[in-house]
Amino acid sequence: MQKYFFILVIFATCSNALTFYLTEGKQRCFLDEYTANTVVIGAHQLLDKVQPNGGGVELSVLDPDNQVILTKMTNSEEGKFTFTTKKQGRYQVCLKMSNSKGWFGDKKQPLYFLRIKQGENQEFQSAAKESQITGLKQKIKQLQKQEDDFIKLQQMNRENEDKLSIENIKINDNVFNATLIQIFVIIGAGVFQIYSLRRFFAQKIYY
């Protein structure tokens, strides 16, 4: 009669590494609960150099309905396996070593390594990707808006500079015209004064 050994562990995107002994002809199972659409990745290796008649240790994965969804033979070489959960529930990872022809019916107990890692839920992963894409789009829009605002600010500064330049030119022209008028006025006043003085002295000499 097969002996089942169950261990219940709740995973949260982390990995569990176990090292334990297997017994020939007996099955050892590890029971874990997962949500639907979750990727599960495992690594395995038979650490002791023992080769049973079956050629290795059989690894199988059963879904919550006890249906086998994955099976493979493992040996002393390090290997990996992966599966995606179709529904929420408890999944079993079972290992069984075939009987070997040992002396006096001795059952071998090789050392075995198993590591199981639960990845992200695919729905959450896709939602996270969509959220990242949305965030990137918002950042791009913000950068575009900042660029547009910067271009508008530069254009407004150029327009203000043009206005100031035009006003400065007008002011300079007005100052030049006013100065020119003042010069003409001064010259005219000087000529008039000279003319007046000459007439005054001329009249004095005549009298």
Side-chain angles (χ1 to χ4, degrees), residues 66-104:
N66 289 326
Q67 299 295 320
V68 178
I69 59 175
L70 174 68
T71 180
K72 65 179 296 187
M73 295 300 299
T74 67
N75 50 36
S76 58
E77 295 181 359
E78 184 176 357
K80 295 182 180 179
F81 67 95
T82 181
F83 64 92
T84 302
T85 60
K86 300 299 182 182
K87 58 190 295 187
Q88 183 175 355
R90 296 180 179 179
Y91 288 76
Q92 301 178 52
V93 177
C94 297
L95 301 162
K96 183 179 180 181
M97 182 177 178
S98 303
N99 289 324
S100 63
K101 296 179 181 180
W103 291 98
F104 305 108

Side-chain angles (χ1 to χ4, degrees), residues 120-160:
E120 294 184 357
N121 185 289
Q122 290 182 337
E123 294 178 355
F124 295 157
Q125 198 171 12
S126 60
K129 288 182 179 178
E130 290 179 0
S131 177
Q132 290 176 354
I133 293 173
T134 303
L136 289 174
K137 287 182 179 178
Q138 290 178 351
K139 288 183 179 179
I140 291 172
K141 288 182 179 179
Q142 290 177 356
L143 291 174
Q144 289 177 344
K145 185 177 183 300
Q146 291 177 357
E147 184 180 1
D148 293 339
D149 293 340
F150 181 73
I151 293 173
K152 289 180 181 178
L153 180 62
Q154 283 187 327
Q155 186 175 1
M156 185 176 64
N157 289 334
R158 283 197 295 268
E159 291 176 356
N160 291 332

